[in-house]
Every structure is written in structure tokens, then in C-alpha cells.
Amino acid sequence: MPELPEVTNIVFGLNDNLKNLTIEDVWTDWPKIIKNPKFDIFRNEVIGKKILNSERVGKNILMHLSDEKTILFHMKMTGHLLYGKWNKENSGKFPWKTEVPGPLSDPYNRFIHLMFNLSNGKQLAMSDVRKFGKVVLFNEGEELSSKDLKDLGPDPMSKDFIYKKFKESINKKENGKIKQVLMDQEIISGIGNIYSDEVLWEAEVHPMEKVKNIPENKLKKIFESTKAILKKSIEMGGDSMSDFRNINGEKGGFQECHKAYRRKGEICPKRGCGGFINRIKVGGRSAHFCETHQKLNN
């Protein structure tokens, strides 16, 4: 699932390329991707609207339009937005073909289920192999009180996300396992499986450790590592270990920096550690950690 760094990079691309363009038409072969209103109403509501700007809230993208409309995109497991030029050649499984060879021709970019035609002759597409992604249209301002956003925890990349706020939020679930708590969007927004593994590896904390058992120095290290690792991934264009691509269809680079995530059986890269990366299930999700320097407190 695209997490905070990946969604941030999508928003960068949207703001760099789509500002002041007008939506001229909308196509879909999967009307269920539009959760509210129904697709025909959605299409009529957004045609003719100018794209003003986009922002990230948690793992959500908010695209603000003229006439006080806002489109919310959530990528869920496998969705990503793409910007370019396609031709619709047939009505088969992959009807849209890019005009020129390049990153948009990547096989992970062919699962297009939603297409916006834009006033500059190009298009904004949503590719989603598993079709779990969602799109919702709001009157501007209503999105903040919606079930999608109203209960989100603090954003770890905001300027006011200080250690005190982090600690207060984390301690709301003091009996929770730290891996699950970090991924709880009502505690901290934007973190998922990849970055929780990487943060805990860096902080030397076992993923099943209860929050209340984590000493102050380790809790501070989790806080510091969260901000540093997310920042680094944003700068590297996000993580494309799976199917994430930016709006140009290109991979990010953070998958080249993994210390724990999906490295089961490998020697721990921490200098002088000598342990191995293990994988366990925590709350139904895989957790990767070093069995030597991430010990569970007794």
C-alpha cells in the first residue's frame, strides 16, 4: 500500500503538472471505484472544473477543484495516479495504450480503471491492479468531517509533530504492540508496513513490544527514526518494492535502502550485530526485524 512518502510524491507530481488544467471528461470501466456519488453524477459534477491544487492528508490525496469541489483519492493496496497521454484502442482488459515508449509502459501501470481527460490534451489515470482504491467527491470542507479523515492521528511530517505529541498519541494504546500502534491511522497517520519495520529496526525495538514497556530513550529513538526515515523516502521518490510508481510511471528508490522489510533470512546490516532478519505475524501483518538487536523485553 502506498504510504506517506509515496502519496507525498504523487501530490508533488500533481501540483507540478496539473494546476489550472480543466477536467474535460471522465471514463471508467469500474464504476465502483467512485464511492460517492454514483459515477454518472460524479462525472457531471467534475467536468468543466479547474484543478486548483492537491494536498496529502494521511495516506489520502485531496484534489481541490473550482466551484468548491474536492476529490479524495485513496490508493488502498495497489493504486497509483499517472499523468501522460494514452489512446483507447479496444475494449479488452488493457484498452489504454501510451503514445510513446517509456515508464508509463511499465506493466504495473496498465491496470487503468479511471481516466480524466484534461484541457492540455493529456490525461490523469488511476491504475489499480486489485481495484481496492477509492474516489469520493465532496463539497469543499466536508471531507474533513468525513469518515475518511475525521479520526486521523497527527501527521509525522507536520512542523508541530514534536516528541510530546508523539508520546501522547502512542500512549493512547499503551497495551498495544508497537508495530500495530505505529500503523494505526488514528494514532499516527501515514505509516504502514514498510516504514514501521524500518523505524523499529533503526530504534532497536521488537515489533511485538508493548508500548508501556518501551523505555523513554527507545521511544525517543522511534520518534526520531520515524521523521528521518519518512523524510529520506520522500527524497528518494518513495518505495517501489511492490507496484508503486509516481505520476510519470517511474519507480521510487527507497526499496534499495531496506534494512529489514522483506529481508527475511539475510544477515542484519547493522554494523557489529551479526544477527539475521526474521519475519513474524503481528496482528495479521508481516513484521520483519533482527532477532539479535531487537530483543523483546521480558
Side-chain angles (χ1 to χ4, degrees):
M1 175 186 289
E3 302 179 34
L4 186 154
E6 292 74 54
V7 178
T8 298
N9 274 278
I10 293 174
V11 169
F12 287 164
L14 294 174
N15 284 329
D16 286 345
N17 292 280
L18 272 69
K19 278 187 177 180
N20 298 317
L21 296 180
T22 299
I23 298 172
E24 295 190 338
D25 202 359
V26 188
W27 166 93
T28 188
D29 65 348
W30 186 251
K32 291 181 180 179
I33 200 170
I34 309 295
K35 303 304 179 185
N36 192 53
K38 292 183 177 180
F39 174 73
D40 289 342
I41 298 173
F42 174 89
R43 178 175 176 272
N44 290 334
E45 286 284 334
V46 302
I47 286 177
K49 301 296 189 294
K50 182 181 288 188
I51 299 170
L52 304 179
N53 59 76
S54 300
E55 63 175 322
R56 178 190 58 77
V57 179
K59 297 180 185 180
N60 303 273
I61 295 166
L62 300 181
M63 179 181 285
H64 300 293
L65 310 178
S66 58
D67 294 339
E68 299 184 337
K69 298 291 184 182
T70 296
I71 302 175
L72 180 149
F73 298 90
H74 195 301
M75 303 295 103
K76 295 294 185 179
M77 293 298 294
T78 58
H80 52 278
L81 296 176
L82 301 165
Y83 173 70
K85 180 65 177 174
W86 292 263
N87 293 313
K88 191 170 182 292
E89 297 185 353
N90 56 63
S91 57
K93 187 175 181 180
F94 306 114
W96 295 95
K97 306 297 181 185
T98 57
E99 285 195 341
V100 294
L104 289 176
S105 299
D106 185 317
Y108 281 107
N109 296 329
R110 60 183 173 167
F111 300 93
I112 295 173
H113 298 296
L114 184 66
M115 183 76 81
F116 296 84
N117 291 341
L118 304 172
S119 55
N120 65 346
K122 293 189 175 182
Q123 296 138 311
L124 176 68
M126 186 168 177
S127 177
D128 187 358
V129 59
R130 299 182 70 177
K131 298 195 284 192
F132 288 162
K134 64 183 290 185
V135 180
V136 184
L137 181 66
F138 293 99
N139 292 319
E140 190 171 325
E142 292 179 352
E143 71 277 5
L144 298 177
S145 59
S146 70
K147 64 181 181 180
D148 302 281
L149 303 183
K150 67 182 179 68
D151 295 322
L152 288 179
D155 190 303
M157 299 310 294
S158 66
K159 292 181 180 179
D160 62 350
F161 187 72
I162 59 176
Y163 176 66
K164 180 181 178 182
K165 180 177 286 189
F166 166 80
K167 185 176 179 180
E168 288 173 352
S169 194
I170 287 287
N171 281 331
K172 290 177 182 178
K173 292 199 170 180
E174 63 176 12
N175 287 310
K177 296 169 184 174
I178 185 61
K179 164 84 172 177
Q180 289 176 279
V181 174
L182 285 176
M183 294 195 300
D184 187 332
Q185 298 304 294
E186 294 184 13
I187 300 300
I188 299 175
S189 61
I191 299 175
N193 222 23
I194 297 172
Y195 300 105
S196 57
D197 278 356
E198 294 299 303
V199 165
L200 294 175
W201 181 91
E202 186 69 32
E204 303 185 355
V205 177
H206 194 285
M208 292 188 70
E209 192 68 75
K210 287 187 176 181
V211 170
K212 66 181 181 182
N213 293 336
I214 300 174
E216 188 81 8
N217 66 319
K218 290 291 184 72
L219 206 57
K220 286 182 178 179
K221 185 63 174 176
I222 292 173
F223 167 74
E224 294 165 356
S225 298
T226 295
K227 294 181 76 72
I229 287 170
L230 293 175
K231 181 176 183 291
K232 181 177 181 178
S233 184
I234 290 170
E235 292 171 349
M236 297 187 72
D239 192 297
S240 293
M241 174 65 81
S242 185
D243 53 3
F244 169 72
R245 303 293 185 270
N246 67 21
I247 72 165
N248 298 313
E250 301 162 333
K251 293 182 179 181
F254 188 75
Q255 66 276 5
E256 305 299 329
C257 299
H258 290 175
K259 301 296 192 297
Y261 183 70
R262 291 195 180 181
R263 296 190 65 168
K264 179 184 177 182
E266 297 183 28
I267 297 174
C268 177
K270 184 176 180 65
R271 182 175 295 179
C273 175
F276 289 84
I277 302 300
N278 197 2
R279 183 180 67 190
I280 58 174
K281 288 286 186 179
V282 181
R285 303 294 298 275
S286 292
H288 301 82
F289 68 102
C290 173
E291 56 191 16
T292 298
H293 83 267
Q294 290 175 263
K295 293 291 189 182
L296 187 64
N297 290 327
N298 294 324

